[in-house]
Amino acid sequence: MFLKVESLKKSYKTGEISTQVLKGVGMCLDRGEVGVILGPSGSGKSTLVNIIGGIDRCDSGRVMIEGADITQHKDNQLTDYRREQVGFVFQFYNLIPNLTVGENIEVVSNISKKPLDIDSVLKAVGMLDKKFRFPRELSGGEQQRVSIARAVIKNPKLLLCDEPTGALDFSTSREILKLLQQINKDFGTTILMITHNTAISALANRVYRMRSGEIVEETINESIMSAERIEW
Amino acid sequence: MVINKKVLRTILDNKAQYIGSLVLIIISCLLFTMLNQLAINMNASSEDFRESYVQEDASFISDRRLENLEALEANFNILIEHNKVVDYSISEEVIIRVFSEGTKVNKPAVIKGEAVGENGVMLDPAFAEANKLEIGDSITLLGRSFTISGYASMPNYIYPIKEETDLLNNPNAFGIAIISKAAFDEVKQGSSFYSIRFNDSEMLEQRMAQFKDYLKSQNVSILKWTNTSENPRVTLVSTKIEGMNQASSAMPVVILLLSCVLTGIVIRKMLKRESVVIGTMYALGYRKLEIIKHYMRYPMLIALSGGIVGTILGAFTMNPMLKLMLKYFNLPLDKISYSLQYVVISVFLPIVFLGVSCYFVIWKALKSSPVELMKGGKDKGKVGFLEKGLKLNKLKFATKFKVREQLRSVPRSAFLLFGVILSTVLLLYGFAAKSSIDYMIKDSYGEVFKYQYEYVFNGLQLEAPQSGERFSVSPFELKEDAKTSFAVYGVQPDSKLIYFKDKNGNNLSTDSIIITKPLADRLELKPNDSISVTNKLDSRQYSIKVAAIAETYSSESIFMPLRQYNELLGYPSDSYLGLWSVEKLDMPADMLLRSATADDFKKAFDAAIEPMQKVIGIIAFMSFLVGLLIIYVVTSLIIEENKITVSLMKVFGYRKKEVYSLILNSSSFIVILGYALGIPALLALLKVLFASLAESTSINLPVTINYIYLVMGFFVIIFAFELSKHLSKKKLNKISMNEALKASME
Ligand SMILES: Nc1ncnc2c1ncn2[C@@H]1O[C@H](COP(=O)(O)OP(=O)(O)OP(=O)(O)O)[C@@H](O)[C@H]1O
Ligand SMILES: [Mg+2]
């Protein structure tokens, strides 16, 4: 297994009250697979993915990436892990406002060991002609493409997407999903994606359904649908 | 690194916030460079002057000519030179003090033109300029015609004041002229004096005492003895330079600290705004150090550009400033030099200051985890304990809103308060100094001294005068501490021309020993205390018991009945040295050492106060700028923080005026409070400053400030506030209603 999560627990304290957000979650993904996490708002999806991506900490449990437990990593080890292995696509894009499209991607290519070529990645996401624009001059879908380009530029082993289509309309969403599927095929990138949208689960090898901090259902799809044909 | 490209863009997007820090740093480096380089040049030049032109260690007047100067020089290892001086009235108003040229001691330095030659005269340049006298012109002095050969400085008259007690010089009415010894002998006028310079400056006091003892043993009486270390014409320069040195370290550092706080606040605000970016960078795999490095570029860019611009401006303004100083201080200056060391310090000081303060701000902001940062930082929307603690619910909405605005960012409000206090202090500083001097003048020439004319003879007088009131005066110093010097007067016990009051306002009779308040304060004396003192003319010791303290700031002196004075010093019982009078007296000039009128003093004062008023004006304007800048930056920070609120207010249909009033007026309370606190801060500062002035010059100024100035200052500060509000209105108008909708996505 490429990714293996075991009995992951996490709780938040607000004043005196402590709420358990993850109550012993377990899941796994093989190399090159696409995983989808489904679940209602507040069920703990983002928390889980953030811990897997090394930007948040758990209380107990293990997150094994290629056999190494990242929950035992020190801060700077976690930084190296994020720097070398993980790509992020955020729901609200999180582009840096005062940098152009090209520069936003350079932000990551600058610090990675073997980055892909910026122009070809931009071309792949269909944004090459807008390389010198600032984020505020782009639509939401365009911004999400840039943020995907930024995530894949370092050719990460693991791509984490927190509702990548959450703020987009149907046809733009389909374009983004096609893009992700393409990347998965071309580079063999393992992708873990959060969504509210059950239709999207048809694209995944494994589907996990969460409810109030627990995985309540795990489905393994024998065959995967092409994003071209997705409909909702 | 590519992310560094956003540094300049971000700064330009928020110009108003960074411009404040930048200008403060520029002002600070400008002042630092200008004042330090100025002090260095002045110091070097006065040091050079002292050595190259053989500045005297003391000058004295004796009751008769000294014989055999060569023998004295050899015996005491000194240089001694006899010279003559006379005051000559060119016109009713203008007096020129003519000296014979020093050839061994106090050699004049030719600043422009040539040395005197046979029929030439050299003038001090400020006097020449004020009276439109040029090189080559003829001038009649002492009944003879001279040609102006050049301009010169004299090492014992660097600050050319007429009387030693004068505060300020007046080149319109008084100047120095130097003619050759031969020419002076021809005119057969003037009185003699001696200038001595000890070849070995160690144990100067003792050597002087030995010298004085020797003269006494030769039956020579010293009528007047002035140490150079107490000659205001020389020491005022060092005092000024020292003051400049203090100012040149204190002022820029205070302003720099202010800009540190300001930059810290601005950076903190920016980090909050950028917290999503920071969180994202973290998530993308950036190391903490890389992020810190990136954000350190903001303060570094500001510090470096401000430091360089300020230092260059300071180097440029130093030259005109030096010229201005040389108008007051007559020093020869061959070349202007710049100290590289201070240039380097000036450029790097802001980098260090801002670097350290901003490093902590940034380091603290990066302590949150990436997820927290991406959600907008740990304390987004957190309500401070101050805000929680106050029960605001009963207040009107508008008041509540304004109070919350100030409490939400305590450092910002504290900065505003401190900034307003500082600019109030600067603003009122000049006004208060003027008030204090005004008060002192009124006190001495209105309340205490009623005479119009003062005549001092060049020898003790024994015959009763035709008219006028007799007095004598002699310089003393404290036995334990030679630096504390003061005058002791012998006055008529029933004087009609001096009036003293004690602190309860009761008249004090001049038939007892009276000490003035500044001196009593300095010596910590109470009525009926005794002090041991040394007479500076004969270096002997005496004990004086004071009976009362006079409430006056006019001088540091002791007054005693003339009889008692003569008895104490062993002078003939009815002798006296000078006369005070309300009417002008007809005195032969060759009997007089000096004469002065109260009117002269007032005129000189008025003339001298004129440039001072300019300086006060400049300081007031600068402090207005600083105040304006601070209020403006704080206002723009408030606007920036409330962008969404303002946008929502607009969506809800608030009118422009209502928005202005809610957002812009929220700091008015702090501005007014800052002004109110600035006044006691100023008075405390002045007390310290005046105490150190009194220490070094024996000029005592009472700390007062006229109410008119307080009102004026208040209006200036309020004007700065209104102006910054006006400048900020545009920014409020520019906030679009979309802002509220966009923001909800972030
Ligand atoms: N910093 C925090 N402090 C306290 N509680 C938190 C914090 N962050 C998240 N939570 C709580 O943890 C729970 C899980 O949050 P999480 O963001 O993982 O949900 P999610 O499944 O991603 O929801 P959504 O679909 O709305 O994004 C929520 O109930 C939320 O209230
Ligand atoms: Mg979520």
Side-chain angles (χ1 to χ4, degrees), chain A residues 55 79-80 82-83 88 90 92 94 96 98-99 103 106-108 110-111 154, chain B residues 2-3 5-6 9-10 13 277 280 282-287 290 371 374 745:
Chain A
I55 57 173
T79 304
D80 285 339
R82 291 197 301 266
R83 200 177 171 109
F88 278 101
F90 306 100
F92 298 116
N94 290 8
I96 297 175
N98 264 326
L99 294 180
E103 288 163 2
E106 272 185 71
V107 166
V108 175
N110 269 340
I111 57 164
K154 66 171 138 188
Chain B
V2 63
I3 46 166
K5 284 191 184 165
K6 79 189 225 312
R9 292 175 194 158
T10 310
D13 278 354
V277 172
T280 308
Y282 251 151
L284 294 175
Y286 274 81
R287 295 178 215 286
E290 288 167 334
V371 177
M374 276 195 278
M745 293 202 332

mmCIF file of all heavy atoms in Angstrom, chain A residues 55 79-80 82-83 88 90 92 94 96 98-99 103 106-108 110-111 154, chain B residues 2-3 5-6 9-10 13 277 280 282-287 290 371 374 745:
data_model
loop_
_atom_site.group_PDB
_atom_site.id
_atom_site.type_symbol
_atom_site.label_atom_id
_atom_site.label_comp_id
_atom_site.label_asym_id
_atom_site.label_seq_id
_atom_site.Cartn_x
_atom_site.Cartn_y
_atom_site.Cartn_z
ATOM 1 N N ILE A 55 -0.276 19.026 6.944
ATOM 2 C CA ILE A 55 -0.440 20.417 7.369
ATOM 3 C C ILE A 55 -1.247 20.501 8.657
ATOM 4 O O ILE A 55 -1.520 21.585 9.144
ATOM 5 C CB ILE A 55 -1.074 21.306 6.269
ATOM 6 C CG1 ILE A 55 -2.417 20.765 5.806
ATOM 7 C CG2 ILE A 55 -0.133 21.453 5.091
ATOM 8 C CD1 ILE A 55 -3.144 21.687 4.844
ATOM 9 N N THR A 79 7.786 19.388 6.701
ATOM 10 C CA THR A 79 7.969 20.351 5.611
ATOM 11 C C THR A 79 8.611 19.669 4.412
ATOM 12 O O THR A 79 8.172 19.851 3.269
ATOM 13 C CB THR A 79 8.846 21.516 6.086
ATOM 14 O OG1 THR A 79 8.260 22.092 7.247
ATOM 15 C CG2 THR A 79 8.979 22.579 5.011
ATOM 16 N N ASP A 80 9.656 18.875 4.664
ATOM 17 C CA ASP A 80 10.309 18.169 3.549
ATOM 18 C C ASP A 80 9.338 17.229 2.840
ATOM 19 O O ASP A 80 9.346 17.116 1.615
ATOM 20 C CB ASP A 80 11.506 17.369 4.075
ATOM 21 C CG ASP A 80 12.663 18.287 4.399
ATOM 22 O OD1 ASP A 80 12.680 19.414 3.864
ATOM 23 O OD2 ASP A 80 13.533 17.895 5.201
ATOM 24 N N ARG A 82 6.077 17.560 2.604
ATOM 25 C CA ARG A 82 5.172 18.353 1.768
ATOM 26 C C ARG A 82 5.883 18.865 0.535
ATOM 27 O O ARG A 82 5.348 18.864 -0.566
ATOM 28 C CB ARG A 82 4.656 19.566 2.551
ATOM 29 C CG ARG A 82 3.734 19.245 3.676
ATOM 30 C CD ARG A 82 2.971 20.491 4.105
ATOM 31 N NE ARG A 82 3.829 21.575 4.546
ATOM 32 C CZ ARG A 82 4.159 21.793 5.811
ATOM 33 N NH1 ARG A 82 3.698 21.010 6.770
ATOM 34 N NH2 ARG A 82 4.942 22.789 6.131
ATOM 35 N N ARG A 83 7.132 19.265 0.744
ATOM 36 C CA ARG A 83 7.906 19.872 -0.322
ATOM 37 C C ARG A 83 8.179 18.877 -1.443
ATOM 38 O O ARG A 83 8.154 19.223 -2.609
ATOM 39 C CB ARG A 83 9.212 20.325 0.320
ATOM 40 C CG ARG A 83 10.002 21.365 -0.372
ATOM 41 C CD ARG A 83 11.181 21.650 0.558
ATOM 42 N NE ARG A 83 12.161 22.489 -0.077
ATOM 43 C CZ ARG A 83 12.370 23.754 0.270
ATOM 44 N NH1 ARG A 83 11.697 24.295 1.255
ATOM 45 N NH2 ARG A 83 13.274 24.455 -0.348
ATOM 46 N N PHE A 88 -1.111 20.077 -3.351
ATOM 47 C CA PHE A 88 -2.418 20.456 -2.795
ATOM 48 C C PHE A 88 -3.245 21.210 -3.808
ATOM 49 O O PHE A 88 -2.736 22.092 -4.500
ATOM 50 C CB PHE A 88 -2.241 21.375 -1.593
ATOM 51 C CG PHE A 88 -1.942 20.670 -0.314
ATOM 52 C CD1 PHE A 88 -0.648 20.598 0.174
ATOM 53 C CD2 PHE A 88 -2.966 20.077 0.408
ATOM 54 C CE1 PHE A 88 -0.385 19.962 1.364
ATOM 55 C CE2 PHE A 88 -2.699 19.440 1.591
ATOM 56 C CZ PHE A 88 -1.402 19.374 2.075
ATOM 57 N N PHE A 90 -6.696 23.410 -3.380
ATOM 58 C CA PHE A 90 -7.631 23.851 -2.343
ATOM 59 C C PHE A 90 -8.956 24.249 -2.958
ATOM 60 O O PHE A 90 -9.025 24.640 -4.119
ATOM 61 C CB PHE A 90 -7.054 25.033 -1.580
ATOM 62 C CG PHE A 90 -5.697 24.772 -1.010
ATOM 63 C CD1 PHE A 90 -4.555 25.233 -1.626
ATOM 64 C CD2 PHE A 90 -5.564 24.039 0.169
ATOM 65 C CE1 PHE A 90 -3.306 24.981 -1.095
ATOM 66 C CE2 PHE A 90 -4.317 23.782 0.703
ATOM 67 C CZ PHE A 90 -3.185 24.257 0.067
ATOM 68 N N PHE A 92 -10.695 26.898 -2.351
ATOM 69 C CA PHE A 92 -10.729 28.308 -2.757
ATOM 70 C C PHE A 92 -9.416 28.753 -3.398
ATOM 71 O O PHE A 92 -9.006 29.891 -3.268
ATOM 72 C CB PHE A 92 -11.107 29.195 -1.572
ATOM 73 C CG PHE A 92 -12.470 28.881 -1.043
ATOM 74 C CD1 PHE A 92 -12.644 28.394 0.248
ATOM 75 C CD2 PHE A 92 -13.583 29.036 -1.857
ATOM 76 C CE1 PHE A 92 -13.913 28.084 0.711
ATOM 77 C CE2 PHE A 92 -14.856 28.728 -1.395
ATOM 78 C CZ PHE A 92 -15.028 28.249 -0.110
ATOM 79 N N ASN A 94 -6.480 29.501 -3.234
ATOM 80 C CA ASN A 94 -5.325 30.010 -2.484
ATOM 81 C C ASN A 94 -4.144 30.395 -3.367
ATOM 82 O O ASN A 94 -3.006 30.075 -3.065
ATOM 83 C CB ASN A 94 -4.860 28.976 -1.460
ATOM 84 C CG ASN A 94 -5.840 28.815 -0.317
ATOM 85 O OD1 ASN A 94 -6.941 29.390 -0.382
ATOM 86 N ND2 ASN A 94 -5.475 28.090 0.691
ATOM 87 N N ILE A 96 -1.556 33.257 -4.791
ATOM 88 C CA ILE A 96 -0.982 34.444 -4.156
ATOM 89 C C ILE A 96 -1.345 35.662 -4.987
ATOM 90 O O ILE A 96 -0.989 35.748 -6.161
ATOM 91 C CB ILE A 96 0.532 34.277 -4.002
ATOM 92 C CG1 ILE A 96 0.786 33.077 -3.072
ATOM 93 C CG2 ILE A 96 1.168 35.535 -3.436
ATOM 94 C CD1 ILE A 96 2.218 32.701 -2.913
ATOM 95 N N ASN A 98 -0.630 38.796 -5.367
ATOM 96 C CA ASN A 98 0.263 39.743 -6.025
ATOM 97 C C ASN A 98 1.283 39.112 -6.963
ATOM 98 O O ASN A 98 2.241 39.750 -7.347
ATOM 99 C CB ASN A 98 0.971 40.598 -4.978
ATOM 100 C CG ASN A 98 0.241 41.902 -4.781
ATOM 101 O OD1 ASN A 98 -0.316 42.443 -5.731
ATOM 102 N ND2 ASN A 98 0.232 42.398 -3.566
ATOM 103 N N LEU A 99 1.066 37.839 -7.321
ATOM 104 C CA LEU A 99 1.958 37.199 -8.290
ATOM 105 C C LEU A 99 1.132 36.795 -9.508
ATOM 106 O O LEU A 99 -0.043 36.435 -9.380
ATOM 107 C CB LEU A 99 2.615 35.971 -7.679
ATOM 108 C CG LEU A 99 3.588 36.217 -6.522
ATOM 109 C CD1 LEU A 99 4.157 34.904 -6.027
ATOM 110 C CD2 LEU A 99 4.708 37.156 -6.924
ATOM 111 N N GLU A 103 4.153 33.168 -12.180
ATOM 112 C CA GLU A 103 4.924 33.295 -10.934
ATOM 113 C C GLU A 103 4.350 32.433 -9.824
ATOM 114 O O GLU A 103 5.081 31.871 -9.012
ATOM 115 C CB GLU A 103 4.970 34.757 -10.504
ATOM 116 C CG GLU A 103 5.864 35.610 -11.389
ATOM 117 C CD GLU A 103 5.599 37.102 -11.247
ATOM 118 O OE1 GLU A 103 4.733 37.484 -10.424
ATOM 119 O OE2 GLU A 103 6.241 37.877 -11.962
ATOM 120 N N GLU A 106 5.805 29.198 -10.358
ATOM 121 C CA GLU A 106 7.219 29.232 -9.996
ATOM 122 C C GLU A 106 7.419 29.100 -8.493
ATOM 123 O O GLU A 106 8.439 28.570 -8.041
ATOM 124 C CB GLU A 106 7.835 30.557 -10.442
ATOM 125 C CG GLU A 106 8.361 30.547 -11.871
ATOM 126 C CD GLU A 106 9.067 31.858 -12.163
ATOM 127 O OE1 GLU A 106 10.148 32.071 -11.624
ATOM 128 O OE2 GLU A 106 8.490 32.692 -12.901
ATOM 129 N N VAL A 107 6.466 29.637 -7.726
ATOM 130 C CA VAL A 107 6.567 29.553 -6.273
ATOM 131 C C VAL A 107 6.878 28.116 -5.850
ATOM 132 O O VAL A 107 7.670 27.879 -4.954
ATOM 133 C CB VAL A 107 5.264 30.045 -5.616
ATOM 134 C CG1 VAL A 107 5.195 29.652 -4.155
ATOM 135 C CG2 VAL A 107 5.130 31.542 -5.758
ATOM 136 N N VAL A 108 6.271 27.165 -6.523
ATOM 137 C CA VAL A 108 6.511 25.767 -6.172
ATOM 138 C C VAL A 108 7.690 25.179 -6.954
ATOM 139 O O VAL A 108 8.525 24.471 -6.394
ATOM 140 C CB VAL A 108 5.237 24.923 -6.401
ATOM 141 C CG1 VAL A 108 5.529 23.451 -6.153
ATOM 142 C CG2 VAL A 108 4.133 25.396 -5.467
ATOM 143 N N ASN A 110 10.288 26.494 -7.911
ATOM 144 C CA ASN A 110 11.535 26.979 -7.318
ATOM 145 C C ASN A 110 12.085 26.087 -6.231
ATOM 146 O O ASN A 110 13.281 26.025 -6.014
ATOM 147 C CB ASN A 110 11.302 28.358 -6.702
ATOM 148 C CG ASN A 110 11.599 29.440 -7.698
ATOM 149 O OD1 ASN A 110 12.287 29.202 -8.667
ATOM 150 N ND2 ASN A 110 11.073 30.615 -7.463
ATOM 151 N N ILE A 111 11.183 25.462 -5.465
ATOM 152 C CA ILE A 111 11.657 24.723 -4.305
ATOM 153 C C ILE A 111 11.572 23.217 -4.510
ATOM 154 O O ILE A 111 11.804 22.463 -3.573
ATOM 155 C CB ILE A 111 10.877 25.112 -3.031
ATOM 156 C CG1 ILE A 111 9.384 24.882 -3.203
ATOM 157 C CG2 ILE A 111 11.148 26.544 -2.628
ATOM 158 C CD1 ILE A 111 8.622 24.873 -1.905
ATOM 159 N N LYS A 154 5.500 20.020 -9.435
ATOM 160 C CA LYS A 154 6.642 19.325 -8.840
ATOM 161 C C LYS A 154 6.532 17.821 -9.036
ATOM 162 O O LYS A 154 7.338 17.068 -8.506
ATOM 163 C CB LYS A 154 6.752 19.677 -7.363
ATOM 164 C CG LYS A 154 5.609 19.169 -6.509
ATOM 165 C CD LYS A 154 5.930 19.392 -5.052
ATOM 166 C CE LYS A 154 4.711 19.892 -4.320
ATOM 167 N NZ LYS A 154 4.917 20.306 -2.964
ATOM 168 N N VAL B 2 10.962 33.646 -6.517
ATOM 169 C CA VAL B 2 9.909 34.313 -7.271
ATOM 170 C C VAL B 2 8.912 35.018 -6.354
ATOM 171 O O VAL B 2 8.402 36.074 -6.689
ATOM 172 C CB VAL B 2 9.202 33.313 -8.206
ATOM 173 C CG1 VAL B 2 8.517 32.245 -7.406
ATOM 174 C CG2 VAL B 2 8.201 34.023 -9.092
ATOM 175 N N ILE B 3 8.690 34.455 -5.163
ATOM 176 C CA ILE B 3 7.678 35.114 -4.321
ATOM 177 C C ILE B 3 8.125 36.512 -3.934
ATOM 178 O O ILE B 3 7.301 37.357 -3.606
ATOM 179 C CB ILE B 3 7.358 34.318 -3.035
ATOM 180 C CG1 ILE B 3 8.636 33.853 -2.370
ATOM 181 C CG2 ILE B 3 6.402 33.213 -3.290
ATOM 182 C CD1 ILE B 3 8.385 33.380 -0.958
ATOM 183 N N LYS B 5 8.970 38.729 -5.750
ATOM 184 C CA LYS B 5 8.449 39.705 -6.708
ATOM 185 C C LYS B 5 7.237 40.422 -6.148
ATOM 186 O O LYS B 5 6.916 41.521 -6.566
ATOM 187 C CB LYS B 5 8.043 38.995 -8.005
ATOM 188 C CG LYS B 5 9.233 38.609 -8.841
ATOM 189 C CD LYS B 5 8.782 38.166 -10.203
ATOM 190 C CE LYS B 5 9.965 37.675 -11.032
ATOM 191 N NZ LYS B 5 9.513 36.921 -12.192
ATOM 192 N N LYS B 6 6.564 39.797 -5.210
ATOM 193 C CA LYS B 6 5.346 40.431 -4.729
ATOM 194 C C LYS B 6 5.629 41.501 -3.683
ATOM 195 O O LYS B 6 4.740 42.260 -3.328
ATOM 196 C CB LYS B 6 4.368 39.382 -4.192
ATOM 197 C CG LYS B 6 4.632 38.865 -2.820
ATOM 198 C CD LYS B 6 3.708 37.684 -2.571
ATOM 199 C CE LYS B 6 3.025 37.657 -1.232
ATOM 200 N NZ LYS B 6 3.846 37.878 -0.084
ATOM 201 N N ARG B 9 5.195 44.946 -5.184
ATOM 202 C CA ARG B 9 3.788 45.092 -5.592
ATOM 203 C C ARG B 9 2.898 45.302 -4.380
ATOM 204 O O ARG B 9 2.027 46.169 -4.377
ATOM 205 C CB ARG B 9 3.323 43.845 -6.354
ATOM 206 C CG ARG B 9 4.011 43.694 -7.703
ATOM 207 C CD ARG B 9 3.623 42.394 -8.364
ATOM 208 N NE ARG B 9 4.521 42.074 -9.490
ATOM 209 C CZ ARG B 9 4.694 40.853 -9.971
ATOM 210 N NH1 ARG B 9 4.037 39.832 -9.437
ATOM 211 N NH2 ARG B 9 5.517 40.637 -10.968
ATOM 212 N N THR B 10 3.135 44.518 -3.337
ATOM 213 C CA THR B 10 2.308 44.655 -2.137
ATOM 214 C C THR B 10 2.506 46.025 -1.498
ATOM 215 O O THR B 10 1.556 46.665 -1.069
ATOM 216 C CB THR B 10 2.665 43.564 -1.119
ATOM 217 O OG1 THR B 10 2.653 42.309 -1.781
ATOM 218 C CG2 THR B 10 1.677 43.543 0.028
ATOM 219 N N ASP B 13 0.707 48.560 -3.428
ATOM 220 C CA ASP B 13 -0.739 48.452 -3.231
ATOM 221 C C ASP B 13 -1.185 49.131 -1.946
ATOM 222 O O ASP B 13 -2.330 49.540 -1.805
ATOM 223 C CB ASP B 13 -1.160 46.975 -3.160
ATOM 224 C CG ASP B 13 -1.313 46.384 -4.551
ATOM 225 O OD1 ASP B 13 -1.199 47.157 -5.520
ATOM 226 O OD2 ASP B 13 -1.535 45.169 -4.659
ATOM 227 N N VAL B 277 -2.035 33.212 2.393
ATOM 228 C CA VAL B 277 -0.859 33.009 1.548
ATOM 229 C C VAL B 277 0.221 32.259 2.328
ATOM 230 O O VAL B 277 0.834 31.315 1.820
ATOM 231 C CB VAL B 277 -0.318 34.368 1.048
ATOM 232 C CG1 VAL B 277 1.006 34.175 0.330
ATOM 233 C CG2 VAL B 277 -1.331 35.032 0.137
ATOM 234 N N THR B 280 -0.705 28.715 2.783
ATOM 235 C CA THR B 280 -0.554 28.002 1.516
ATOM 236 C C THR B 280 0.917 27.696 1.246
ATOM 237 O O THR B 280 1.266 26.588 0.853
ATOM 238 C CB THR B 280 -1.133 28.848 0.368
ATOM 239 O OG1 THR B 280 -2.452 29.242 0.719
ATOM 240 C CG2 THR B 280 -1.154 28.058 -0.920
ATOM 241 N N TYR B 282 3.264 27.386 3.382
ATOM 242 C CA TYR B 282 3.621 26.304 4.304
ATOM 243 C C TYR B 282 3.199 24.965 3.702
ATOM 244 O O TYR B 282 3.958 24.014 3.620
ATOM 245 C CB TYR B 282 2.854 26.476 5.605
ATOM 246 C CG TYR B 282 3.702 26.904 6.780
ATOM 247 C CD1 TYR B 282 3.130 27.649 7.809
ATOM 248 C CD2 TYR B 282 5.041 26.542 6.884
ATOM 249 C CE1 TYR B 282 3.872 28.038 8.889
ATOM 250 C CE2 TYR B 282 5.785 26.928 7.967
ATOM 251 C CZ TYR B 282 5.206 27.688 8.978
ATOM 252 O OH TYR B 282 5.930 28.063 10.040
ATOM 253 N N ALA B 283 1.931 24.911 3.280
ATOM 254 C CA ALA B 283 1.366 23.667 2.750
ATOM 255 C C ALA B 283 2.104 23.215 1.503
ATOM 256 O O ALA B 283 2.278 22.034 1.264
ATOM 257 C CB ALA B 283 -0.113 23.868 2.441
ATOM 258 N N LEU B 284 2.589 24.186 0.731
ATOM 259 C CA LEU B 284 3.288 23.836 -0.501
ATOM 260 C C LEU B 284 4.709 23.366 -0.221
ATOM 261 O O LEU B 284 5.415 22.983 -1.141
ATOM 262 C CB LEU B 284 3.329 25.039 -1.443
ATOM 263 C CG LEU B 284 1.976 25.501 -1.983
ATOM 264 C CD1 LEU B 284 2.135 26.761 -2.808
ATOM 265 C CD2 LEU B 284 1.318 24.400 -2.804
ATOM 266 N N GLY B 285 5.113 23.435 1.046
ATOM 267 C CA GLY B 285 6.417 22.882 1.374
ATOM 268 C C GLY B 285 7.502 23.901 1.647
ATOM 269 O O GLY B 285 8.666 23.559 1.738
ATOM 270 N N TYR B 286 7.118 25.178 1.783
ATOM 271 C CA TYR B 286 8.123 26.176 2.139
ATOM 272 C C TYR B 286 8.531 26.009 3.589
ATOM 273 O O TYR B 286 7.705 25.689 4.440
ATOM 274 C CB TYR B 286 7.588 27.586 1.888
ATOM 275 C CG TYR B 286 7.810 28.041 0.467
ATOM 276 C CD1 TYR B 286 6.952 27.638 -0.545
ATOM 277 C CD2 TYR B 286 8.897 28.831 0.141
ATOM 278 C CE1 TYR B 286 7.166 28.022 -1.855
ATOM 279 C CE2 TYR B 286 9.125 29.224 -1.163
ATOM 280 C CZ TYR B 286 8.262 28.819 -2.155
ATOM 281 O OH TYR B 286 8.494 29.197 -3.443
ATOM 282 N N ARG B 287 9.822 26.254 3.860
ATOM 283 C CA ARG B 287 10.303 26.172 5.239
ATOM 284 C C ARG B 287 10.033 27.492 5.939
ATOM 285 O O ARG B 287 9.965 28.548 5.328
ATOM 286 C CB ARG B 287 11.793 25.899 5.254
ATOM 287 C CG ARG B 287 12.170 24.561 4.695
ATOM 288 C CD ARG B 287 13.676 24.413 4.705
ATOM 289 N NE ARG B 287 14.121 23.648 3.540
ATOM 290 C CZ ARG B 287 13.957 22.333 3.408
ATOM 291 N NH1 ARG B 287 13.373 21.655 4.370
ATOM 292 N NH2 ARG B 287 14.374 21.724 2.330
ATOM 293 N N GLU B 290 12.461 30.200 5.129
ATOM 294 C CA GLU B 290 12.277 30.797 3.811
ATOM 295 C C GLU B 290 11.157 31.829 3.840
ATOM 296 O O GLU B 290 11.247 32.879 3.218
ATOM 297 C CB GLU B 290 11.944 29.707 2.781
ATOM 298 C CG GLU B 290 13.122 28.829 2.440
ATOM 299 C CD GLU B 290 12.735 27.570 1.660
ATOM 300 O OE1 GLU B 290 11.576 27.105 1.783
ATOM 301 O OE2 GLU B 290 13.582 27.061 0.946
ATOM 302 N N VAL B 371 -2.832 24.994 8.770
ATOM 303 C CA VAL B 371 -4.297 24.976 8.660
ATOM 304 C C VAL B 371 -4.904 26.204 9.314
ATOM 305 O O VAL B 371 -5.782 26.854 8.751
ATOM 306 C CB VAL B 371 -4.860 23.696 9.305
ATOM 307 C CG1 VAL B 371 -6.373 23.711 9.248
ATOM 308 C CG2 VAL B 371 -4.311 22.478 8.602
ATOM 309 N N MET B 374 -4.392 29.134 7.105
ATOM 310 C CA MET B 374 -5.249 29.178 5.932
ATOM 311 C C MET B 374 -6.672 29.565 6.288
ATOM 312 O O MET B 374 -7.403 30.080 5.460
ATOM 313 C CB MET B 374 -5.222 27.839 5.208
ATOM 314 C CG MET B 374 -4.028 27.746 4.283
ATOM 315 S SD MET B 374 -4.161 26.424 3.101
ATOM 316 C CE MET B 374 -3.646 25.036 4.040
ATOM 317 N N MET B 745 -15.544 34.737 0.412
ATOM 318 C CA MET B 745 -14.965 33.540 -0.169
ATOM 319 C C MET B 745 -13.601 33.213 0.411
ATOM 320 O O MET B 745 -13.162 32.078 0.365
ATOM 321 C CB MET B 745 -14.809 33.719 -1.681
ATOM 322 C CG MET B 745 -16.146 33.803 -2.387
ATOM 323 S SD MET B 745 -16.067 33.399 -4.126
ATOM 324 C CE MET B 745 -14.420 33.834 -4.593
#
